[in-house]
Amino acid sequence: MILYDIVDGIGRTVEGATQSVTGVFEPTIRLGVTGLSRAGKTVFITSLIANLMDRARMGQLRAAADGGIQTAYLHPQPDDTIPRFDFETHLAALTGADPHWPVSTRSISELRLSMRVQPTGLMGMVSGPRTVHLDIVDYPGEWLLDLGLMDKSYAQWSEEALTRADGRDAGAAFVALARSTDGGVKLDEPQAKRFAEAYTAYLQAIREAGYSDYTPGRFLLPGDLEGSPVLTFAPMPVPEVTKRGSLYREFERRFEAYKSKVVKPFFRDHFSRIDRQVVLVDALGAIHSGPQAVDDLSNAMADILGAFRPGANAWLSQLLFGKRVEKILFAATKADHLHHSQHGRLTAIMEALLREARDRADFAGAKTQAMSIAALRATTEDHLQGLDVVRGRLVDTGKQAAFYPGELPSDPAKIIGAARDGAQGWLDGEYSVMNFAPAKLNLAPGEGPPHIRLDRAAEFLIGDRLR
């Protein structure tokens, strides 16, 4: 395994050097897009591509505002073995006569957008337009969270997972099973299967409840690994005796196999090649679920930051050491579920969560930013009975409704502090969420779908590479 890793690393260094030389003439930006539960990843990618092709709503993206992007078009993706992101189908779902949210993707996919860009400054005076490729790599947030497992032993992960589950109603049944089972007994496959199924049911329950720590992620998105031994394990306490062939020892072996045969190949083949990354977060959903869900979100963000290799992508560093992520955006989605008067408060809460996550992850090197956005604006704003509300079409009934979610605190410490202290509820009230459907659109020529701050997100993530 060590020799394989060395040879594989040399091969990837050569590949990286070749890509660096090619990139001088036609630069490529690899943008990783992932999202924690219900964050709207598919909608984000679809709207971003549509608004880069028709740029009338992208005023905060400098290269769009000053005409630097002359044209943008879809191009065949460079990775022949990765499914193509189904942009056309998703856009039709959002902009058709009966608009609806597209089906979420459950695996990795990719799409290349090529832009003809006129450089600015001195270089632009002496050179003509150049082609910049934007390769968007779409993958489930569950897979990103798995990267935090790489530095943990089975015993450490088990202790952390059981401690978290012990404090939640949804975890009571599984914790009782884990603590009443002697891991020192001989492995019995039907028993191991029941154990894994019970843990998977717990992960599904906490995801529905708004939590973010549902690892291992492939338990919820198994794909062709469903039923395999590498997904047939669960956390359990260390028994007094751990004989070879025991249930505990086999679970430990399978946990290590999961890291080496599932998580590591994903990191090596896809994640380690990313230049820029956006992590979409349903912060409003976590706030609605309560302080424990917000604390869980903070832990997840710290694990995500710890998984990145931060730093600047200088040409020499790419040649010698491989690529490093340069920029990471944590975006609170569904800003259209709030009146614009509260957007600043939502952003402040995200910034506080990011600051705490940075400190806990001992993270430095890459540029990070927090932002509140709506990739597709589904509501309009109104003022009723002294309250700032939003109006939209409900997913369940199709009827129009006005909605007031509650007032977020002006001081994000009230949210962060309650979450950190393990409070069971908010002292100042509750915060609600509503499921709105996409609004019917009538787009003028050159207009992409309406959004909130998608252009600012694009400027942070790729704006410097388009000038």
Side-chain angles (χ1 to χ4, degrees), residues 96-426:
D98 182 23
H100 57 277
W101 299 119
V103 177
S104 299
T105 53
R106 300 178 60 83
S107 185
I108 193 167
S109 62
E110 186 177 13
L111 191 69
R112 167 169 281 192
L113 181 74
S114 298
M115 292 170 280
R116 196 68 172 161
V117 178
Q118 175 63 50
T120 58
L122 181 61
M123 181 62 69
M125 296 174 61
V126 298
S127 68
R130 62 173 180 166
T131 299
V132 178
H133 301 295
L134 176 63
D135 291 344
I136 297 180
V137 182
D138 163 34
Y139 62 95
E142 290 86 348
W143 296 11
L144 179 62
L145 292 173
D146 275 351
L147 294 177
L149 301 177
M150 294 303 294
D151 295 327
K152 296 179 181 179
S153 67
Y154 174 66
Q156 179 185 1
W157 171 72
S158 291
E159 181 180 0
E160 293 175 355
L162 290 172
T163 299
R164 288 192 296 265
D166 205 16
R168 300 168 180 165
D169 292 340
F174 175 75
V175 171
L177 173 65
R179 302 216 184 275
S180 64
T181 301
D182 180 8
V185 301
K186 186 177 180 180
L187 169 70
D188 176 71
E189 281 296 346
Q191 181 189 29
K193 182 180 178 181
R194 289 193 297 271
F195 226 102
E197 289 174 344
Y199 185 63
T200 301
Y202 159 69
L203 294 180
Q204 291 170 339
I206 63 172
R207 182 172 63 175
E208 290 295 320
Y211 291 94
S212 307
D213 65 336
Y214 31 86
T215 58
R218 283 356 183 258
F219 277 47
L220 298 177
L221 296 172
D224 57 3
L225 294 176
E226 186 170 9
S228 65
V230 79
L231 295 187
T232 311
F233 67 89
M236 67 185 316
V238 181
E240 293 183 4
V241 179
T242 57
K243 295 180 181 179
R244 186 172 183 176
S246 65
L247 181 63
Y248 182 89
R249 288 282 292 274
E250 182 61 18
F251 276 7
E252 182 178 43
R253 188 194 67 78
R254 293 178 182 184
F255 175 79
E256 294 299 329
Y258 181 82
K259 292 196 299 182
S260 63
K261 297 181 180 180
V262 179
V263 181
K264 189 174 181 179
F266 166 64
F267 178 84
R268 182 188 64 221
D269 296 338
H270 305 293
F271 187 76
S272 63
R273 299 167 55 200
I274 289 172
D275 303 298
R276 313 286 168 92
Q277 175 70 48
V278 57
V279 181
L280 305 175
V281 180
D282 182 11
L284 288 176
I287 293 171
H288 167 66
S289 298
Q292 292 186 19
V294 173
D295 183 58
D296 195 58
L297 174 59
S298 179
N299 292 332
M301 290 171 64
D303 285 344
I304 289 169
L305 284 176
F308 281 92
R309 296 185 301 157
N313 268 353
W315 184 85
L316 185 59
S317 69
Q318 289 185 37
L319 178 62
L320 297 178
F321 304 111
K323 297 182 107 174
R324 295 178 181 271
V325 175
E326 298 172 319
K327 294 185 177 183
I328 309 170
L329 174 66
F330 283 87
T333 58
K334 305 179 184 177
D336 59 329
H337 287 43
L338 293 173
H339 191 274
H340 76 271
S341 60
Q342 293 206 62
H343 288 179
R345 298 185 177 191
L346 178 60
T347 300
I349 291 170
M350 277 298 295
E351 288 174 342
L353 285 169
L354 180 57
R355 170 62 186 273
E356 185 162 282
R358 285 178 61 99
D359 293 343
R360 292 163 66 178
D362 192 23
F363 176 81
K367 293 181 180 178
T368 60
Q369 186 167 331
M371 195 177 294
S372 56
I373 69 169
L376 180 77
R377 183 163 196 159
T379 65
T380 58
E381 296 185 347
D382 202 350
H383 189 78
L384 294 176
Q385 299 179 355
L387 297 177
D388 291 327
V389 302
V390 294
R391 289 184 176 276
R393 184 169 63 96
L394 299 181
V395 169
D396 296 335
T397 65
K399 296 182 179 179
Q400 292 288 325
F403 174 63
Y404 176 71
E407 186 173 357
L408 295 175
S410 58
D411 182 4
K414 292 184 178 180
I415 294 286
I416 306 301
R420 187 191 305 113
D421 295 340
Q424 297 301 307
W426 305 113

